[in-house]
mmCIF file with all atom_site columns, all heavy atoms in Angstrom:
data_model
loop_
_atom_site.group_PDB
_atom_site.id
_atom_site.type_symbol
_atom_site.label_atom_id
_atom_site.label_alt_id
_atom_site.label_comp_id
_atom_site.label_asym_id
_atom_site.label_entity_id
_atom_site.label_seq_id
_atom_site.pdbx_PDB_ins_code
_atom_site.Cartn_x
_atom_site.Cartn_y
_atom_site.Cartn_z
_atom_site.occupancy
_atom_site.B_iso_or_equiv
_atom_site.pdbx_formal_charge
_atom_site.auth_seq_id
_atom_site.auth_comp_id
_atom_site.auth_asym_id
_atom_site.auth_atom_id
_atom_site.pdbx_PDB_model_num
ATOM 1   N N   . GLU A 1 29 ? -17.846 6.056   2.959  1.00 97.00 ? 298 GLU A N   1
ATOM 2   C CA  . GLU A 1 29 ? -19.262 6.318   3.189  1.00 97.00 ? 298 GLU A CA  1
ATOM 3   C C   . GLU A 1 29 ? -19.926 6.604   1.850  1.00 97.00 ? 298 GLU A C   1
ATOM 4   O O   . GLU A 1 29 ? -19.462 7.453   1.088  1.00 97.00 ? 298 GLU A O   1
ATOM 5   C CB  . GLU A 1 29 ? -19.449 7.506   4.122  1.00 97.00 ? 298 GLU A CB  1
ATOM 6   C CG  . GLU A 1 29 ? -18.878 7.281   5.521  1.00 97.00 ? 298 GLU A CG  1
ATOM 7   C CD  . GLU A 1 29 ? -19.104 8.460   6.443  1.00 97.00 ? 298 GLU A CD  1
ATOM 8   O OE1 . GLU A 1 29 ? -19.698 9.464   5.988  1.00 97.00 ? 298 GLU A OE1 1
ATOM 9   O OE2 . GLU A 1 29 ? -18.677 8.390   7.605  1.00 97.00 ? 298 GLU A OE2 1
ATOM 10  N N   . LEU A 1 30 ? -20.997 5.878   1.580  1.00 97.00 ? 299 LEU A N   1
ATOM 11  C CA  . LEU A 1 30 ? -21.716 6.064   0.332  1.00 97.00 ? 299 LEU A CA  1
ATOM 12  C C   . LEU A 1 30 ? -23.172 5.693   0.565  1.00 97.00 ? 299 LEU A C   1
ATOM 13  O O   . LEU A 1 30 ? -23.454 4.592   1.062  1.00 97.00 ? 299 LEU A O   1
ATOM 14  C CB  . LEU A 1 30 ? -21.110 5.194   -0.782 1.00 97.00 ? 299 LEU A CB  1
ATOM 15  C CG  . LEU A 1 30 ? -21.268 5.687   -2.225 1.00 97.00 ? 299 LEU A CG  1
ATOM 16  C CD1 . LEU A 1 30 ? -20.600 7.041   -2.407 1.00 97.00 ? 299 LEU A CD1 1
ATOM 17  C CD2 . LEU A 1 30 ? -20.675 4.688   -3.194 1.00 97.00 ? 299 LEU A CD2 1
ATOM 18  N N   . GLY A 1 31 ? -24.072 6.601   0.209  1.00 96.00 ? 300 GLY A N   1
ATOM 19  C CA  . GLY A 1 31 ? -25.477 6.357   0.492  1.00 96.00 ? 300 GLY A CA  1
ATOM 20  C C   . GLY A 1 31 ? -25.660 6.114   1.982  1.00 96.00 ? 300 GLY A C   1
ATOM 21  O O   . GLY A 1 31 ? -25.113 6.836   2.810  1.00 96.00 ? 300 GLY A O   1
ATOM 22  N N   . PRO A 1 32 ? -26.384 5.052   2.371  1.00 97.00 ? 301 PRO A N   1
ATOM 23  C CA  . PRO A 1 32 ? -26.584 4.776   3.787  1.00 97.00 ? 301 PRO A CA  1
ATOM 24  C C   . PRO A 1 32 ? -25.459 3.963   4.421  1.00 97.00 ? 301 PRO A C   1
ATOM 25  O O   . PRO A 1 32 ? -25.518 3.647   5.606  1.00 97.00 ? 301 PRO A O   1
ATOM 26  C CB  . PRO A 1 32 ? -27.884 3.956   3.780  1.00 97.00 ? 301 PRO A CB  1
ATOM 27  C CG  . PRO A 1 32 ? -27.834 3.217   2.477  1.00 97.00 ? 301 PRO A CG  1
ATOM 28  C CD  . PRO A 1 32 ? -27.154 4.151   1.503  1.00 97.00 ? 301 PRO A CD  1
ATOM 29  N N   . TYR A 1 33 ? -24.427 3.617   3.652  1.00 98.00 ? 302 TYR A N   1
ATOM 30  C CA  . TYR A 1 33 ? -23.404 2.692   4.120  1.00 98.00 ? 302 TYR A CA  1
ATOM 31  C C   . TYR A 1 33 ? -22.147 3.404   4.606  1.00 98.00 ? 302 TYR A C   1
ATOM 32  O O   . TYR A 1 33 ? -21.744 4.431   4.056  1.00 98.00 ? 302 TYR A O   1
ATOM 33  C CB  . TYR A 1 33 ? -23.027 1.709   3.009  1.00 98.00 ? 302 TYR A CB  1
ATOM 34  C CG  . TYR A 1 33 ? -24.194 0.896   2.507  1.00 98.00 ? 302 TYR A CG  1
ATOM 35  C CD1 . TYR A 1 33 ? -24.708 1.092   1.229  1.00 98.00 ? 302 TYR A CD1 1
ATOM 36  C CD2 . TYR A 1 33 ? -24.801 -0.063  3.316  1.00 98.00 ? 302 TYR A CD2 1
ATOM 37  C CE1 . TYR A 1 33 ? -25.792 0.361   0.777  1.00 98.00 ? 302 TYR A CE1 1
ATOM 38  C CE2 . TYR A 1 33 ? -25.878 -0.808  2.858  1.00 98.00 ? 302 TYR A CE2 1
ATOM 39  C CZ  . TYR A 1 33 ? -26.368 -0.589  1.590  1.00 98.00 ? 302 TYR A CZ  1
ATOM 40  O OH  . TYR A 1 33 ? -27.444 -1.313  1.143  1.00 98.00 ? 302 TYR A OH  1
ATOM 41  N N   . ARG A 1 34 ? -21.541 2.806   5.623  1.00 98.00 ? 303 ARG A N   1
ATOM 42  C CA  . ARG A 1 34 ? -20.232 3.231   6.117  1.00 98.00 ? 303 ARG A CA  1
ATOM 43  C C   . ARG A 1 34 ? -19.398 1.965   6.289  1.00 98.00 ? 303 ARG A C   1
ATOM 44  O O   . ARG A 1 34 ? -19.619 1.187   7.225  1.00 98.00 ? 303 ARG A O   1
ATOM 45  C CB  . ARG A 1 34 ? -20.350 3.976   7.438  1.00 98.00 ? 303 ARG A CB  1
ATOM 46  C CG  . ARG A 1 34 ? -19.029 4.616   7.911  1.00 98.00 ? 303 ARG A CG  1
ATOM 47  C CD  . ARG A 1 34 ? -19.263 5.428   9.192  1.00 98.00 ? 303 ARG A CD  1
ATOM 48  N NE  . ARG A 1 34 ? -18.144 6.290   9.494  1.00 98.00 ? 303 ARG A NE  1
ATOM 49  C CZ  . ARG A 1 34 ? -17.079 5.922   10.216 1.00 98.00 ? 303 ARG A CZ  1
ATOM 50  N NH1 . ARG A 1 34 ? -17.008 4.678   10.690 1.00 98.00 ? 303 ARG A NH1 1
ATOM 51  N NH2 . ARG A 1 34 ? -16.103 6.777   10.444 1.00 98.00 ? 303 ARG A NH2 1
ATOM 52  N N   . LEU A 1 35 ? -18.458 1.755   5.378  1.00 98.00 ? 304 LEU A N   1
ATOM 53  C CA  . LEU A 1 35 ? -17.716 0.498   5.316  1.00 98.00 ? 304 LEU A CA  1
ATOM 54  C C   . LEU A 1 35 ? -16.229 0.741   5.575  1.00 98.00 ? 304 LEU A C   1
ATOM 55  O O   . LEU A 1 35 ? -15.637 1.675   5.022  1.00 98.00 ? 304 LEU A O   1
ATOM 56  C CB  . LEU A 1 35 ? -17.877 -0.162  3.946  1.00 98.00 ? 304 LEU A CB  1
ATOM 57  C CG  . LEU A 1 35 ? -19.304 -0.363  3.421  1.00 98.00 ? 304 LEU A CG  1
ATOM 58  C CD1 . LEU A 1 35 ? -19.267 -1.055  2.073  1.00 98.00 ? 304 LEU A CD1 1
ATOM 59  C CD2 . LEU A 1 35 ? -20.149 -1.144  4.401  1.00 98.00 ? 304 LEU A CD2 1
ATOM 60  N N   . SER A 1 36 ? -15.638 -0.117  6.392  1.00 97.00 ? 305 SER A N   1
ATOM 61  C CA  . SER A 1 36 ? -14.190 -0.086  6.547  1.00 97.00 ? 305 SER A CA  1
ATOM 62  C C   . SER A 1 36 ? -13.557 -0.708  5.296  1.00 97.00 ? 305 SER A C   1
ATOM 63  O O   . SER A 1 36 ? -14.224 -1.405  4.520  1.00 97.00 ? 305 SER A O   1
ATOM 64  C CB  . SER A 1 36 ? -13.758 -0.871  7.800  1.00 97.00 ? 305 SER A CB  1
ATOM 65  O OG  . SER A 1 36 ? -14.110 -2.244  7.665  1.00 97.00 ? 305 SER A OG  1
ATOM 66  N N   . ILE A 1 37 ? -12.268 -0.431  5.093  1.00 97.00 ? 306 ILE A N   1
ATOM 67  C CA  . ILE A 1 37 ? -11.524 -1.024  3.981  1.00 97.00 ? 306 ILE A CA  1
ATOM 68  C C   . ILE A 1 37 ? -10.473 -1.939  4.583  1.00 97.00 ? 306 ILE A C   1
ATOM 69  O O   . ILE A 1 37 ? -9.598  -1.491  5.337  1.00 97.00 ? 306 ILE A O   1
ATOM 70  C CB  . ILE A 1 37 ? -10.832 0.053   3.122  1.00 97.00 ? 306 ILE A CB  1
ATOM 71  C CG1 . ILE A 1 37 ? -11.825 1.134   2.693  1.00 97.00 ? 306 ILE A CG1 1
ATOM 72  C CG2 . ILE A 1 37 ? -10.186 -0.585  1.892  1.00 97.00 ? 306 ILE A CG2 1
ATOM 73  C CD1 . ILE A 1 37 ? -11.171 2.324   2.031  1.00 97.00 ? 306 ILE A CD1 1
ATOM 74  N N   . GLU A 1 38 ? -10.565 -3.226  4.278  1.00 96.00 ? 307 GLU A N   1
ATOM 75  C CA  . GLU A 1 38 ? -9.661  -4.202  4.885  1.00 96.00 ? 307 GLU A CA  1
ATOM 76  C C   . GLU A 1 38 ? -8.961  -5.018  3.806  1.00 96.00 ? 307 GLU A C   1
ATOM 77  O O   . GLU A 1 38 ? -9.586  -5.463  2.840  1.00 96.00 ? 307 GLU A O   1
ATOM 78  C CB  . GLU A 1 38 ? -10.423 -5.136  5.827  1.00 96.00 ? 307 GLU A CB  1
ATOM 79  C CG  . GLU A 1 38 ? -11.034 -4.408  7.015  1.00 96.00 ? 307 GLU A CG  1
ATOM 80  C CD  . GLU A 1 38 ? -11.726 -5.349  7.992  1.00 96.00 ? 307 GLU A CD  1
ATOM 81  O OE1 . GLU A 1 38 ? -11.595 -6.588  7.809  1.00 96.00 ? 307 GLU A OE1 1
ATOM 82  O OE2 . GLU A 1 38 ? -12.412 -4.853  8.901  1.00 96.00 ? 307 GLU A OE2 1
ATOM 83  N N   . LEU A 1 39 ? -7.657  -5.226  3.994  1.00 96.00 ? 308 LEU A N   1
ATOM 84  C CA  . LEU A 1 39 ? -6.891  -6.141  3.156  1.00 96.00 ? 308 LEU A CA  1
ATOM 85  C C   . LEU A 1 39 ? -6.818  -7.468  3.884  1.00 96.00 ? 308 LEU A C   1
ATOM 86  O O   . LEU A 1 39 ? -6.287  -7.534  5.003  1.00 96.00 ? 308 LEU A O   1
ATOM 87  C CB  . LEU A 1 39 ? -5.507  -5.572  2.868  1.00 96.00 ? 308 LEU A CB  1
ATOM 88  C CG  . LEU A 1 39 ? -5.504  -4.432  1.842  1.00 96.00 ? 308 LEU A CG  1
ATOM 89  C CD1 . LEU A 1 39 ? -5.681  -3.090  2.536  1.00 96.00 ? 308 LEU A CD1 1
ATOM 90  C CD2 . LEU A 1 39 ? -4.237  -4.446  1.017  1.00 96.00 ? 308 LEU A CD2 1
ATOM 91  N N   . ARG A 1 40 ? -7.346  -8.525  3.247  1.00 95.00 ? 309 ARG A N   1
ATOM 92  C CA  . ARG A 1 40 ? -7.540  -9.789  3.943  1.00 95.00 ? 309 ARG A CA  1
ATOM 93  C C   . ARG A 1 40 ? -6.986  -10.961 3.136  1.00 95.00 ? 309 ARG A C   1
ATOM 94  O O   . ARG A 1 40 ? -6.937  -10.909 1.911  1.00 95.00 ? 309 ARG A O   1
ATOM 95  C CB  . ARG A 1 40 ? -9.047  -10.047 4.151  1.00 95.00 ? 309 ARG A CB  1
ATOM 96  C CG  . ARG A 1 40 ? -9.690  -9.112  5.139  1.00 95.00 ? 309 ARG A CG  1
ATOM 97  C CD  . ARG A 1 40 ? -11.172 -9.369  5.288  1.00 95.00 ? 309 ARG A CD  1
ATOM 98  N NE  . ARG A 1 40 ? -11.581 -8.945  6.617  1.00 95.00 ? 309 ARG A NE  1
ATOM 99  C CZ  . ARG A 1 40 ? -11.810 -9.761  7.633  1.00 95.00 ? 309 ARG A CZ  1
ATOM 100 N NH1 . ARG A 1 40 ? -11.736 -11.066 7.455  1.00 95.00 ? 309 ARG A NH1 1
ATOM 101 N NH2 . ARG A 1 40 ? -12.134 -9.298  8.817  1.00 95.00 ? 309 ARG A NH2 1
ATOM 102 N N   . PRO A 1 41 ? -6.602  -12.041 3.828  1.00 94.00 ? 310 PRO A N   1
ATOM 103 C CA  . PRO A 1 41 ? -6.297  -13.286 3.112  1.00 94.00 ? 310 PRO A CA  1
ATOM 104 C C   . PRO A 1 41 ? -7.541  -13.759 2.370  1.00 94.00 ? 310 PRO A C   1
ATOM 105 O O   . PRO A 1 41 ? -8.662  -13.597 2.856  1.00 94.00 ? 310 PRO A O   1
ATOM 106 C CB  . PRO A 1 41 ? -5.921  -14.255 4.234  1.00 94.00 ? 310 PRO A CB  1
ATOM 107 C CG  . PRO A 1 41 ? -5.593  -13.402 5.419  1.00 94.00 ? 310 PRO A CG  1
ATOM 108 C CD  . PRO A 1 41 ? -6.437  -12.166 5.288  1.00 94.00 ? 310 PRO A CD  1
ATOM 109 N N   . SER A 1 42 ? -7.357  -14.332 1.207  1.00 94.00 ? 311 SER A N   1
ATOM 110 C CA  . SER A 1 42 ? -8.509  -14.700 0.375  1.00 94.00 ? 311 SER A CA  1
ATOM 111 C C   . SER A 1 42 ? -9.456  -15.654 1.090  1.00 94.00 ? 311 SER A C   1
ATOM 112 O O   . SER A 1 42 ? -10.675 -15.581 0.910  1.00 94.00 ? 311 SER A O   1
ATOM 113 C CB  . SER A 1 42 ? -8.035  -15.319 -0.940 1.00 94.00 ? 311 SER A CB  1
ATOM 114 O OG  . SER A 1 42 ? -7.220  -16.462 -0.692 1.00 94.00 ? 311 SER A OG  1
ATOM 115 N N   . GLU A 1 43 ? -8.917  -16.543 1.941  1.00 94.00 ? 312 GLU A N   1
ATOM 116 C CA  . GLU A 1 43 ? -9.775  -17.533 2.595  1.00 94.00 ? 312 GLU A CA  1
ATOM 117 C C   . GLU A 1 43 ? -10.688 -16.906 3.652  1.00 94.00 ? 312 GLU A C   1
ATOM 118 O O   . GLU A 1 43 ? -11.623 -17.561 4.133  1.00 94.00 ? 312 GLU A O   1
ATOM 119 C CB  . GLU A 1 43 ? -8.934  -18.647 3.225  1.00 94.00 ? 312 GLU A CB  1
ATOM 120 C CG  . GLU A 1 43 ? -7.975  -18.206 4.303  1.00 94.00 ? 312 GLU A CG  1
ATOM 121 C CD  . GLU A 1 43 ? -6.605  -17.855 3.744  1.00 94.00 ? 312 GLU A CD  1
ATOM 122 O OE1 . GLU A 1 43 ? -6.507  -17.615 2.533  1.00 94.00 ? 312 GLU A OE1 1
ATOM 123 O OE2 . GLU A 1 43 ? -5.639  -17.839 4.539  1.00 94.00 ? 312 GLU A OE2 1
#
Side-chain angles (χ1 to χ4, degrees):
E298 297 181 0
L299 208 60
Y302 301 111
R303 188 176 193 272
L304 308 181
S305 63
I306 309 171
E307 297 183 9
L308 285 90
R309 291 178 153 257
S311 58
E312 62 269 19

